[in-house]
């Protein structure tokens, strides 16, 4: 199972979330989240990666004003079956 990610703006908040997750028996770590186009290291948020269930991390990101990075992968949708031949139209046009 892929780790669940929460994004925190403050290092202390990220480390507090990790401590609470570890105290709850989950694996967790904090790492700096590098944003593309952001050249100021102090401007980068912190990512907390954990094997905790998503609702557990969601409570922490709500408490510390972060956000849950849910992956945003759209659900798999089966392809649409398209006709292989043109439709036949009954009747005729014109006069």
């Amino acid at each position: 199972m892929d780790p669940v990610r929460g994004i925190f703006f403050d290092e202390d908040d990220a480390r507090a979330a990790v401590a609470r997750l570890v105290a709850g028996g989950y694996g967790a770590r904090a790492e700096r989240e590098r944003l593309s186009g952001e050249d100021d290291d102090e401007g980068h948020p912190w990512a907390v990666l954990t094997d905790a269930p998503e609702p557990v991390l969601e409570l922490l990101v709500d408490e510390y004003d972060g956000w849950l990075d849910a992956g945003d992968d759209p659900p798999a949708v089966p392809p649409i079956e398209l006709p292989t031949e043109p439709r036949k139209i009954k009747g005729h046009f014109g006069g």
Side-chain angles (χ1 to χ4, degrees), residues 5 10 13 18 29 32 47 52 66 73 80:
R5 290 170 31 101
D10 185 76
D13 292 346
V18 167
R29 72 179 191 277
R32 207 63 192 254
D73 289 335
I80 299 172

Side-chain angles (χ1 to χ4, degrees), residues 17-28 50-53 56 60:
V18 167
R20 287 179 56 186
L21 289 164
V22 170
Y26 302 108
T50 181
D51 59 359
V56 172
L60 291 170

Side-chain angles (χ1 to χ4, degrees), residues 10-65:
D10 185 76
E11 179 180 8
D12 292 338
D13 292 346
R15 299 222 180 270
V18 167
R20 287 179 56 186
L21 289 164
V22 170
Y26 302 108
R29 72 179 191 277
E31 60 186 40
R32 207 63 192 254
E33 181 73 9
R34 303 284 179 206
L35 301 175
S36 61
E38 182 70 49
D39 55 359
D40 177 16
D41 279 348
E42 295 304 312
H44 295 291
W46 289 84
V48 170
L49 290 87
T50 181
D51 59 359
E54 191 173 301
V56 172
L57 184 58
E58 188 172 13
L59 291 172
L60 291 170
V61 296
D62 286 347
E63 181 178 335
Y64 292 111
D65 294 325

